[in-house]
Amino acid sequence: MKIITRLALTLVTVISSQAVFADDCTVDVEAGDALSFNTTKIEIPASCANATINFKHTGRLPAAAMGHNWVLSKTADLQPIQNDGNVAGAAGGYLKADDPRVIAATAIIGGGESTSVTFATAGLNAGEAYSFFCTVMSHSVVMKGTFALKG
Ligand code: CO
């Protein structure tokens, strides 16, 4: 009986690590000294007027070496945003200034730092494909995930 309970708990843990499902309208996202977020899928209840992403860098490297941001856009806009972000470079925060394709973006943070961003969901469609990603030094090639309004 105990073994079965442990197995069930393990399964729950594994499933939880696959996706971050928001209980409410706030989601905690982490990244460390590797090119990945701690989730590849974020879902926000469509009932949320605003969504908040609390983003924490759990690594040790400074922003200049392993900085990360959390950027949200339509999936189709990911690559164009990254391309323009590369042009902007470090001085421009790896994002084109006032890029209208960017739905939400945090500041770039380094190891031990945290930031957050809150954005309105009014302009998001339940059927549209959205992605979140990091634009620092082309991290979005591998550092990305899907975002959706659910319900
Ligand atoms: Co990054």
Side-chain angles (χ1 to χ4, degrees), residues 82-121:
Q82 179 66 71
N83 292 345
D84 287 340
N86 293 343
V87 174
Y94 291 100
L95 281 176
K96 179 182 174 183
D98 301 319
D99 190 331
R101 299 166 300 192
V102 172
I103 297 167
T106 69
I108 294 171
I109 55 173
E113 298 176 328
S114 296
T115 186
S116 74
V117 63
T118 297
F119 55 97
T121 62

Side-chain angles (χ1 to χ4, degrees), residues 14-38:
V14 169
I15 291 167
S16 299
S17 68
Q18 302 295 317
V20 172
F21 295 102
D23 292 335
D24 48 26
C25 307
T26 298
V27 178
D28 295 331
V29 179
E30 295 180 355
D33 289 334
L35 304 186
S36 62
F37 292 103
N38 67 336

Side-chain angles (χ1 to χ4, degrees), residues 31-32 34-37 55 66-69 133-140 143:
L35 304 186
S36 62
F37 292 103
F55 183 38
M66 187 51 78
H68 300 304
N69 58 5
F133 49 96
C134 172
T135 61
V136 176
M137 294 182 271
S138 290
H139 287 181
S140 69
M143 195 173 179

